[in-house]
Amino acid sequence: MEFHDVTSSAVASAALFWIIVLLRWSRQPSRPPPTVVRAPALPEQVPLVSIIVPARNEARNIEACLRSLLAQDYPRFEVILVDDCSEDETAAIASRLAAADSRLHVVRGEPVSEGWMGKAHALDQGYRRARGEWLLFTDADTEHAPPLLSGVMAHVLHSDAGFATVVGDQRNPTFGAYLANLAVFAYIFMFVDPKSWSRPRSRQSLVNGQYVLFSRKAYLSIGTHAAVRRYSSTDVSLGYLAKMEGWVPLLIDGRGALTTTMYRDFTDAFGGWSRSTVNGSWTVLGPFWGSLALLVATALLSLFWIGPWVGLAAGLVDLDGVGVAVSLLQVLAGLTLLALARQQVGPAIKDTLLMPLSYANFIVIVIVGLARAWLRGGTMWKGRVVRTSQRLPPWRPKAPRGPAR
């Protein structure tokens, strides 16, 4: 009887993990997103695109980013670099490149105004200098293959989308950065619902702030970045408000053409994610409920990513064949999820082996990030305290908009 009870609970435990996998698999889009590689041809007459890059203390990244943007094969564009009061050589590097290419304009940013978040403030200043019919907001730690903008604009101009976002590759220069990023991206993957992305009534609108493209018409209807000036998670907020205004986003697969180096080492990644995870949850739910939701979600997912390995070790020590088998089935469920996220089995195996350590680090990131945020009244980023003064409004979507042009 005791063996029967143990076996039943073991089967139920393993089944729960696979139910999670099936539910997550069922939310994958029925059709893959369009790719830059297979973009349609551009029309003969194309609109001017203003590429706006905010940069604060980005001396390590800015030259590679700007050179890749200036090498775009799209026929009509300008690049506006907003130096957000950098304390390093960012402005000097950008000015040197601008002297050699008239398409690049360097804006010396003003100090952040009261009631504004830093990134939104910088992007707003860039927008005020922009002449384009389309506005591309991209980060200073990105690198763009020459055909990227042409491919993105070809897809956009053949659709009715008012804005689009591109998913690219993440570069991890060190093992520490890779380890810190691994659990965070797995965490995001668990809560994103790609199937609802293009549904106007769904609030799923998580844009990739590393590459967001708006028609001027759509951008103005949202209220520009001034509408998100008080939100600590600028990119999440902008996508949310855009979709609520009726602009259904176009998601484009830019892997192989867009590369981002978010963090170069473990220390940078730890500090960055301890800020971003808190900002995202506080923007959506406010400080109290956002903190509680983040802690609960982190604890529950630790049962998924760390629990099976603990069970496997205990089963091996106790020579418990049933426990070992159940734990292996649970580990296999995690591997399947990571393969689904990666769309490759080989890298997912390595990710699965590293996930217990990575997720343990993620738990520390969340705890440290929340503790610092509550003590400071906000999160620290590049020498500034980012204070969350507003949460997203209730979800009341408008009717879908027509063509953006």
Side-chain angles (χ1 to χ4, degrees), residues 340-375:
L340 188 64
R342 278 272 204 163
Q343 298 183 358
Q344 293 178 320
V345 175
I349 295 175
K350 180 179 71 172
D351 291 351
T352 302
L353 295 173
L354 290 174
M355 184 57 80
L357 180 59
S358 180
Y359 201 85
N361 177 66
F362 178 71
I363 294 172
V364 179
I365 284 175
V366 169
I367 294 172
V368 170
L370 286 172
R372 288 175 175 173
W374 279 102
L375 288 172

Side-chain angles (χ1 to χ4, degrees), residues 84 226 255:
D84 186 15
R255 287 174 297 178

Side-chain angles (χ1 to χ4, degrees), residues 182-192 277 293-295 297-298 301 305 355 359 362 366:
L182 172 59
V184 178
F185 286 118
Y187 180 90
I188 294 171
F189 177 75
M190 295 292 283
F191 291 104
V192 173
T277 52
L294 182 58
L295 287 171
T298 301
L301 285 179
W305 295 117
M355 184 57 80
Y359 201 85
F362 178 71
V366 169

Side-chain angles (χ1 to χ4, degrees), residues 69-86:
L69 288 171
L70 293 171
Q72 295 299 291
D73 61 16
Y74 185 78
R76 297 187 66 205
F77 69 90
E78 63 176 356
V79 181
I80 301 170
L81 183 284
V82 183
D83 172 44
D84 186 15
C85 303
S86 295

Side-chain angles (χ1 to χ4, degrees), residues 162-237:
F163 82 106
T165 189
V166 175
V167 176
D169 299 308
Q170 295 293 332
R171 180 186 292 130
N172 299 300
T174 63
F175 175 76
Y178 178 85
L179 188 70
N181 290 340
L182 172 59
V184 178
F185 286 118
Y187 180 90
I188 294 171
F189 177 75
M190 295 292 283
F191 291 104
V192 173
D193 183 5
K195 207 164 191 176
S196 298
W197 181 271
S198 59
R199 294 177 181 173
R201 307 302 298 181
S202 169
R203 69 177 65 208
Q204 281 287 329
S205 54
L206 185 62
V207 302
N208 178 18
Q210 297 152 6
Y211 198 109
V212 186
L213 177 75
F214 278 93
S215 71
R216 185 175 286 267
K217 177 181 177 181
Y219 186 64
L220 289 173
S221 74
I222 299 164
T224 74
H225 272 86
V228 297
R229 64 188 181 277
R230 296 183 182 274
Y231 298 112
S232 58
S233 191
T234 301
D235 305 321
V236 171
S237 305

